[in-house]
Amino acid sequence: MPVRAKRGVRFHSWAARFLEWAEIFSVAEVEGEFAAFLIALREGLDYQSENYLWFSKHYARFLYVDRIVIDKPYRSMGLGRRLYREIMEHARRTQVSAVTAEIDTEPYNEVSLKFHEAMGFQEVGTQYVRDGKIKVSLQAAKL
């Protein structure tokens, strides 16, 4: 799924950095409309995300799902599963043994926790981020 910007859409500097760093930047379209995207990063980047840094300390090789966004009208269409299957297959092809992600547990994100469990993820740690305001479950799917 190639990345395309609609006319008039501009990428800001943080987005340009993600495009440069991304191992995978997948966009899903439904009937020609942007419906979802996923950004996954490999280890070894100078990325200061608290969660990315945690995985960097605990895994020599990993593929980190930095973000997945599915526009509300397109939820429950299987786009998340499709995007995750794509990154898991990529990880296998590139001999990465773990796909990693974090899920908020305070506030509790039951939908995401159930989704990740169904995709084979297991909790490997927890931490508080954003000045202690949010607790996350650090998860990995071992391949």
Side-chain angles (χ1 to χ4, degrees):
M1 291 180 261
V3 175
R4 292 187 333 205
K6 287 189 173 189
R7 189 167 295 160
V9 173
R10 301 176 102 176
F11 287 110
H12 293 278
S13 60
W14 68 267
R17 188 173 330 124
F18 275 114
L19 285 171
E20 179 182 317
W21 283 348
E23 179 81 6
I24 295 177
F25 192 132
S26 291
V27 175
E29 294 181 1
V30 175
E31 297 178 2
E33 296 295 322
F34 286 114
F37 74 89
L38 180 144
I39 300 171
L41 310 172
R42 286 290 304 269
E43 72 284 339
L45 300 173
D46 185 27
Y47 182 36
Q48 297 304 304
S49 155
E50 295 167 282
N51 299 313
Y52 179 85
L53 292 171
W54 190 94
F55 288 116
S56 294
K57 289 178 186 173
H58 293 86
Y59 291 87
R61 292 175 54 88
F62 62 92
L63 183 58
Y64 171 67
V65 178
D66 183 75
R67 62 197 69 221
I68 180 169
V69 176
I70 302 172
D71 198 9
K72 199 170 194 173
Y74 303 104
R75 293 181 185 163
S76 298
M77 295 178 70
L79 297 175
R81 283 187 302 281
R82 181 176 169 197
L83 290 167
Y84 265 71
R85 282 188 198 118
E86 178 183 325
I87 64 166
M88 289 183 167
E89 182 54 38
H90 178 81
R92 285 183 192 96
R93 280 194 313 270
T94 57
Q95 295 154 357
V96 174
S97 60
V99 175
T100 62
E102 79 278 348
I103 299 100
D104 292 356
T105 56
E106 291 178 19
Y108 193 68
N109 188 339
E110 182 177 10
V111 172
S112 185
L113 286 164
K114 286 183 176 182
F115 170 82
H116 283 87
E117 180 181 8
M119 295 302 298
F121 283 76
Q122 295 182 339
E123 186 172 89
V124 293
T126 62
Q127 69 179 359
Y128 282 91
V129 296
R130 298 186 205 144
D131 298 320
K133 296 176 186 158
I134 295 175
K135 184 179 181 184
V136 295
S137 170
L138 299 149
Q139 300 205 0
K142 299 198 176 162
L143 306 174

